[in-house]
Coordinates of all heavy atoms in Angstrom, one line a residue:
S5 N 118.7 79.3 214.2 CA 119.4 80.4 213.6 C 119.7 81.4 214.7 O 118.8 81.8 215.3 CB 118.6 81.0 212.5 OG 119.2 82.3 212.1
L6 N 121.0 81.6 215.0 CA 121.3 82.6 216.0 C 121.6 84.0 215.4 O 121.7 85.0 216.2 CB 122.5 82.1 216.8 CG 122.3 80.9 217.6 CD1 123.6 80.3 218.1 CD2 121.4 81.1 218.8
G7 N 121.6 84.1 214.1 CA 121.8 85.4 213.5 C 122.0 85.1 212.0 O 122.5 84.1 211.6
S8 N 121.5 86.0 211.1 CA 121.5 85.8 209.7 C 121.6 87.1 209.0 O 120.7 87.9 209.0 CB 120.3 85.0 209.3 OG 120.3 84.8 207.9
G9 N 122.7 87.4 208.3 CA 122.9 88.7 207.6 C 124.2 89.3 207.9 O 125.0 88.7 208.6
S10 N 124.4 90.5 207.3 CA 125.8 91.0 207.4 C 126.2 91.5 208.8 O 127.3 91.7 209.1 CB 125.9 92.2 206.4 OG 124.9 93.1 206.7
S11 N 125.2 91.5 209.7 CA 125.6 91.8 211.1 C 126.0 90.6 211.9 O 126.4 90.6 213.1 CB 124.5 92.5 211.8 OG 123.3 91.9 211.6
G12 N 126.0 89.4 211.2 CA 126.5 88.2 211.9 C 125.7 87.0 211.6 O 124.5 87.0 211.9
N13 N 126.3 86.0 211.0 CA 125.6 84.7 210.7 C 126.1 83.6 211.6 O 127.3 83.5 211.9 CB 126.0 84.3 209.3 CG 125.5 85.3 208.2 OD1 124.4 85.3 207.8 ND2 126.4 86.2 207.9
C14 N 125.1 82.8 212.1 CA 125.4 81.7 212.9 C 124.3 80.7 213.0 O 123.1 81.1 213.3 CB 125.8 82.1 214.3 SG 126.3 80.7 215.4
Y15 N 124.5 79.5 212.6 CA 123.5 78.4 212.6 C 124.0 77.3 213.5 O 125.2 77.0 213.6 CB 123.1 77.9 211.2 CG 122.8 79.1 210.3 CD1 123.6 79.5 209.3 CD2 121.6 79.8 210.5 CE1 123.3 80.6 208.5 CE2 121.2 80.8 209.7 CZ 122.1 81.3 208.7 OH 121.8 82.4 208.0
I25 N 128.2 73.9 214.8 CA 127.9 75.3 214.5 C 128.3 75.5 213.1 O 129.4 75.0 212.6 CB 128.8 76.2 215.4 CG1 128.4 76.0 216.9 CG2 128.7 77.7 215.0 CD1 127.1 76.7 217.3
I26 N 127.5 76.2 212.3 CA 127.9 76.6 211.0 C 128.1 78.1 211.0 O 127.1 78.9 211.2 CB 126.9 76.2 209.9 CG1 126.5 74.7 210.1 CG2 127.4 76.5 208.5 CD1 125.3 74.3 209.3
D27 N 129.3 78.6 210.8 CA 129.6 80.0 210.8 C 129.4 80.6 212.2 O 128.5 80.2 212.9 CB 128.9 80.8 209.7 CG 129.4 80.5 208.3 OD1 130.5 79.9 208.2 OD2 128.7 80.9 207.3
L28 N 130.2 81.6 212.5 CA 130.1 82.3 213.8 C 130.5 83.7 213.6 O 131.7 84.1 213.9 CB 130.8 81.6 214.9 CG 130.7 82.1 216.3 CD1 129.3 82.6 216.6 CD2 131.1 81.0 217.3
G29 N 129.6 84.5 213.1 CA 130.0 85.9 212.8 C 129.4 86.9 213.8 O 129.5 88.1 213.7
L30 N 128.9 86.3 214.9 CA 128.4 87.2 216.0 C 129.6 87.4 216.9 O 130.6 86.7 216.9 CB 127.3 86.5 216.8 CG 126.1 85.9 216.1 CD1 125.3 85.0 216.9 CD2 125.2 87.1 215.6
F35 N 127.1 85.5 221.2 CA 126.8 84.1 220.9 C 126.6 83.3 222.2 O 125.6 82.5 222.3 CB 128.0 83.5 220.2 CG 128.0 82.0 220.1 CD1 127.2 81.4 219.2 CD2 128.8 81.2 220.9 CE1 127.1 80.0 219.1 CE2 128.7 79.9 220.9 CZ 127.9 79.2 220.0
T55 N 131.7 78.6 206.1 CA 131.3 78.7 204.7 C 132.4 79.4 203.9 O 132.9 79.0 202.9 CB 130.0 79.4 204.4 OG1 130.1 80.7 205.0 CG2 128.8 78.6 205.0
H56 N 132.9 80.6 204.5 CA 133.9 81.4 203.8 C 134.5 82.4 204.7 O 133.9 82.7 205.8 CB 133.3 82.0 202.5 CG 132.3 83.1 202.8 ND1 131.1 82.8 203.3 CD2 132.3 84.4 202.5 CE1 130.4 83.9 203.4 NE2 131.1 84.9 202.9
H58 N 134.6 85.7 205.4 CA 134.2 87.1 205.5 C 133.8 87.2 207.0 O 133.2 86.3 207.6 CB 133.0 87.4 204.6 CG 133.4 87.7 203.2 ND1 132.5 87.7 202.2 CD2 134.6 88.1 202.7 CE1 133.1 88.0 201.0 NE2 134.4 88.3 201.3
T59 N 134.1 88.4 207.6 CA 134.0 88.5 209.0 C 132.6 88.3 209.5 O 132.5 87.9 210.7 CB 134.6 89.9 209.4 OG1 135.9 90.0 208.7 CG2 134.8 90.0 210.9
D60 N 131.6 88.6 208.7 CA 130.2 88.3 209.2 C 129.9 86.8 209.4 O 128.8 86.4 209.8 CB 129.2 89.0 208.3 CG 129.2 88.6 206.9 OD1 130.3 88.4 206.3 OD2 128.1 88.4 206.3
H61 N 130.9 86.0 209.0 CA 130.7 84.5 209.2 C 131.8 83.9 210.1 O 131.7 82.7 210.4 CB 130.8 83.8 207.8 CG 129.7 84.3 206.9 ND1 128.6 83.5 206.6 CD2 129.6 85.4 206.2 CE1 127.8 84.2 205.8 NE2 128.4 85.3 205.5
T62 N 132.8 84.7 210.4 CA 134.0 84.1 211.1 C 134.4 84.8 212.4 O 135.3 84.3 213.0 CB 135.2 84.2 210.1 OG1 135.4 85.5 209.6 CG2 135.0 83.2 208.9
K63 N 133.8 85.9 212.7 CA 134.3 86.8 213.8 C 134.7 86.0 215.1 O 135.8 86.3 215.6 CB 133.2 87.8 214.2 CG 133.6 88.9 215.0 CD 132.4 89.9 215.1 CE 132.7 91.1 216.0 NZ 131.5 92.0 216.1
I65 N 135.0 82.6 215.6 CA 135.4 81.2 215.4 C 136.6 80.9 216.2 O 136.7 80.0 217.0 CB 135.5 80.9 213.9 CG1 134.1 80.8 213.3 CG2 136.3 79.6 213.7 CD1 134.1 80.5 211.8
T145 N 124.8 79.9 201.2 CA 124.7 81.3 201.5 C 125.9 82.0 200.8 O 126.9 81.4 200.4 CB 124.7 81.6 203.0 OG1 124.5 83.0 203.2 CG2 126.0 81.2 203.6
D146 N 125.7 83.3 200.6 CA 126.8 84.2 200.0 C 127.2 83.6 198.6 O 128.3 83.1 198.5 CB 128.0 84.3 200.9 CG 127.6 85.1 202.2 OD1 126.7 84.6 202.9 OD2 128.1 86.2 202.4
E167 N 120.3 81.6 200.7 CA 120.4 83.1 200.7 C 119.2 83.7 199.8 O 118.9 83.1 198.7 CB 121.7 83.5 200.1 CG 121.8 85.0 199.8 CD 123.2 85.4 199.4 OE1 123.6 85.1 198.3 OE2 123.8 86.1 200.2
C219 N 117.8 83.1 204.1 CA 118.8 83.6 205.0 C 119.6 84.8 204.4 O 119.4 85.1 203.2 CB 119.8 82.6 205.5 SG 121.0 82.1 204.2
H220 N 120.4 85.5 205.2 CA 121.3 86.6 204.7 C 120.5 87.7 204.0 O 121.0 88.2 203.0 CB 122.4 86.0 203.9 CG 123.7 86.7 204.0 ND1 123.9 88.0 203.6 CD2 124.9 86.3 204.5 CE1 125.2 88.3 203.9 NE2 125.8 87.3 204.5
L221 N 119.3 88.0 204.5 CA 118.6 89.1 203.9 C 119.2 90.4 204.2 O 119.7 90.7 205.3 CB 117.1 89.2 204.5 CG 116.1 88.3 203.9 CD1 116.4 86.8 203.9 CD2 114.7 88.6 204.5
R257 N 117.2 88.8 211.1 CA 118.7 89.1 211.0 C 119.4 89.1 212.3 O 120.4 88.6 212.5 CB 118.8 90.5 210.4 CG 118.4 90.6 208.9 CD 118.4 92.0 208.5 NE 119.6 92.7 208.9 CZ 120.7 92.7 208.3 NH1 120.8 92.1 207.1 NH2 121.8 93.4 208.7

Side-chain angles (χ1 to χ4, degrees):
S5 166
L6 293 168
S8 178
S10 52
S11 44
N13 297 274
C14 181
Y15 305 107
I25 297 285
I26 310 167
D27 288 345
L28 184 37
L30 307 167
F35 168 78
T55 59
H56 67 296
H58 279 162
T59 311
D60 59 319
H61 299 258
T62 53
K63 193 173 178 181
I65 287 177
T145 188
D146 295 61
E167 170 172 72
C219 75
H220 215 293
L221 271 63
R257 292 170 48 82

